Amino acid sequence: MPRIPVVDKEACISCEVCTHICPEVFEMQADGKSGVHNPAGAPEEKIEEAMDNCPVACIHWA
Ligand code: SF4
């Protein structure tokens, strides 16, 4: 079963980096923060690229 990424919305600074790197999984949501709209939408390597480039490291595996 694929791992599920989650965004810590308290820590997210809405920079949109993750949504540019991996739009298949992350989107900017109505609360102004990034969120996961399709947890299995991309390979784990691409999700981890988004995690690694988040400036506040607020994307984690559930
Ligand atoms: S990269 Fe991190 S801080 Fe930037 S929008 Fe995504 S979750 Fe938020």
Side-chain angles (χ1 to χ4, degrees):
M1 189 162 147
R3 292 188 289 173
I4 305 295
V6 291
V7 173
D8 176 354
K9 295 214 175 219
E10 294 290 318
C12 175
I13 58 169
S14 308
C15 72
E16 302 190 18
V17 165
C18 61
T19 62
H20 284 287
I21 291 174
C22 193
E24 302 90 343
V25 172
F26 302 99
E27 66 178 2
M28 299 312 292
Q29 299 187 324
D31 59 5
K33 305 295 183 84
S34 171
V36 174
H37 69 96
N38 183 8
E44 288 193 3
E45 294 74 22
K46 193 169 182 188
I47 295 172
E48 284 186 337
E49 186 184 348
M51 289 175 169
D52 291 345
N53 283 283
C54 173
V56 293
C58 71
I59 311 171
H60 308 283
W61 294 113

